[in-house]
Amino acid sequence: MLVGGVFGTVQMLSTMAPLRAETVASDRYSQEYCFFSPAEVTEKNRLRAAAMGTDPAAKQRYIQLINRHANELRTCREKSWLKTQAVWIRMYACDTKPGAVDELIDRMVNKGYNRVYLATFYAGQVLLPQTANKTSWPSVLGNNSVRNTDLLAEVIRKGRARGIKVYAWMYSLNYGSNYGLYPNRDTALNVNGRGEKSWFVGSEGTQSPDAGGPNSILFVNPHSRQAREDYRQMLGEVLKRRPDGILFDYIRYPRGQGAQSVITTVKDLWIYGDDARQQLESIAKNRKGAELLKIYLDNGDLRANEIAAADEAFPDEREPLWGSRSPVAKEMTMTPTARAALYQRELWQLAVDFAANGVVDFLTEVTGMSRQAGVRSGAVFFPEANRKVGRGGFDSRLQRWHKFPSTIEWHPMAYAICGQGECIADQVVQTLKVAPNTTPVVPALAGVWGKSFETRPSLEVQMDAIHRAAPNLTELSHFSFSWQEPESDAARSSCRLRS
């Protein structure tokens, strides 16, 4: 039963007060967004509290209710155009308290969510039991009193019991500053041609490694063998918990501020770490190609006298060769100045492709691990992060999502701001035009129910615009649960357990 019974709905206008699960409105919105009615929410809260006691009958009634709600949520989603409505969430140490996970997942069900993206690896920490954590990162659950608690496994189990699929949401190339403090990890870091490491660049890397902190950021190079080995080991531990999916985030390089948000020279690229540079230089196919590639990386350009010197040093070789390069017609009859300009253009594109392809290769490797384990996977990206800028420049994130594996889910972050839903829908349509027909596209929206939030229209306004622009799209997500319930999130994150 829907309005007047099990399900309530959202208010349509973004100017209305913040929406709560108790709000009941039109049949249309109850069908689409599957909010439960205030009476059902109150009864569930009462039974859950009773079930925490010693009364077995109360526990049985609570189990019966959550089973019924799971079935009704599934039925409502089947009738709605929106088959999957997901939400992003972090867990904290105090969520290990008895009944805390049950209450949190119940609240998500009350708002019609049937999928959760659970923060599993973020800010340099991992959601694994402290006593079973063999990874290169500390556990989110660092308190000794909960060191044996497997919160990830608990959320997966209790989410499924309520009809929710639980994905492990994992940062990828952003390893957190904790990682850089471990011995022998310095070689895994991003380094550009000016010797800068990605701790210190732009809005995403302003913290020093000594600052640490839960929100510190540190990008590693996707070509680093050490970084890949450490990530594979950690991902393997997560896959043992058998989540319904893995959602890979930060599949890119850092984004700088101002002029640094665009790369225009080879020294802007994060390809100067040991492993990255060795792999790039190995692309050379002859000695002349290797020499000019090295000079280009060292100096940032090529000059006529360097071309002439290479010709003299390797008289038995004609054209320099690297990668799949084919010599240009009558190349050796060109002046050294003209050849220098030609080679510099080619090497610039070669270096950009090498950097960008490293990101795609990293993603291909980790999604391959997920596929082998029988767990579906997806990747998060900015629709605008793969664009060219100006004459020969590129967005510094080098996130070539259009080359992501077509067999995984694509999750564009449709975060455009124009005061309406249309520019957000445009980003979704842009992605759909590029995505193969068989690739699931699951847009991520930022906002809250029932009102505008931080210059963004309400979630239902955004979803309406997307549904009009892309009527065949049936899955999307909301970032984030903490935005919808900031008081609850603040209480959960600030709560402290006794050691």
Side-chain angles (χ1 to χ4, degrees), residues 282-285 320-328 346 350 353 357:
S282 71
I283 293 175
K285 300 299 184 183
L321 298 176
W322 43 72
S324 59
R325 179 176 194 266
S326 297
V328 175
E346 291 186 5
L350 178 75
D353 290 343
N357 290 340

Side-chain angles (χ1 to χ4, degrees), residues 19-199:
L19 183 78
R20 300 186 181 277
E22 298 82 15
T23 305
V24 178
S26 69
D27 288 346
R28 175 194 170 200
Y29 278 86
S30 67
Q31 289 284 349
E32 289 181 341
Y33 305 128
C34 303
F35 273 53
F36 280 77
S37 73
E40 292 283 341
V41 171
T42 299
E43 177 65 5
K44 190 189 309 188
N45 291 341
R46 185 187 68 80
L47 287 177
R48 184 180 59 251
M52 293 299 105
T54 58
D55 182 0
K59 292 181 181 180
Q60 185 60 33
R61 289 194 298 272
Y62 176 58
I63 291 172
Q64 290 173 346
L65 181 61
I66 65 174
N67 287 340
R68 177 163 63 84
H69 280 193
N71 290 331
E72 290 171 348
L73 176 59
R74 181 174 59 253
T75 299
C76 185
R77 283 276 152 241
E78 289 173 351
K79 293 179 179 179
S80 171
W81 67 268
L82 190 56
K83 308 304 179 187
T84 296
Q85 182 172 275
V87 66
W88 305 66
I89 190 169
R90 282 187 182 180
M91 308 295 285
Y92 305 99
C94 282
D95 291 322
T96 60
K97 291 182 176 181
V101 170
D102 302 271
E103 180 184 2
L104 192 61
I105 299 177
D106 282 349
R107 293 211 306 270
M108 288 185 271
V109 171
N110 293 342
K111 292 187 176 184
Y113 292 111
N114 61 344
R115 186 186 293 178
V116 171
Y117 300 143
L118 175 63
T120 302
F121 172 57
Y122 63 95
Q125 52 189 346
V126 62
L127 191 63
L128 293 173
Q130 182 178 327
T131 53
N133 182 12
K134 302 176 182 178
T135 76
S136 297
W137 295 271
S139 172
V140 173
L141 305 178
N143 189 288
N144 286 333
S145 65
V146 294
R147 62 184 181 276
N148 294 317
T149 303
D150 196 334
L151 196 53
L152 172 59
E154 182 181 356
V155 174
I156 293 170
R157 175 172 55 85
K158 291 184 175 179
R160 286 175 180 162
R162 292 161 173 79
I164 289 182
K165 292 184 177 181
V166 179
Y167 280 40
W169 162 30
M170 301 176 64
Y171 285 13
S172 298
L173 293 172
N174 175 6
Y175 279 26
S177 68
N178 291 323
Y179 182 80
L181 303 179
Y182 285 97
N184 306 318
R185 296 303 193 273
D186 192 65
T187 58
L189 307 188
N190 269 325
V191 183
N192 64 22
R194 291 176 289 277
E196 298 169 329
K197 296 177 181 178
S198 53
W199 259 316

Side-chain angles (χ1 to χ4, degrees), residues 398-446:
L398 285 180
Q399 192 172 43
R400 291 188 173 175
W401 55 267
H402 57 286
K403 292 191 174 183
F404 284 0
S406 61
T407 53
I408 67 172
E409 298 173 0
W410 287 11
H411 291 251
M413 289 177 280
Y415 292 171
I417 297 176
C418 61
Q420 306 176 65
E422 281 66 28
C423 58
I424 295 166
D426 288 345
Q427 288 186 319
V428 174
V429 171
Q430 170 194 343
T431 304
L432 290 170
K433 288 180 178 178
V434 176
N437 292 334
T438 56
T439 299
V441 175
V442 189
L445 311 181

Side-chain angles (χ1 to χ4, degrees), residues 347-381:
L347 288 173
W348 167 239
Q349 191 61 56
L350 178 75
V352 169
D353 290 343
F354 173 79
N357 290 340
V359 172
V360 177
D361 291 344
F362 182 97
L363 177 62
T364 300
E365 179 177 348
V366 296
T367 55
M369 280 186 64
S370 185
R371 183 178 62 255
Q372 290 174 3
V375 176
R376 66 191 306 174
S377 58
V380 188
F381 58 88

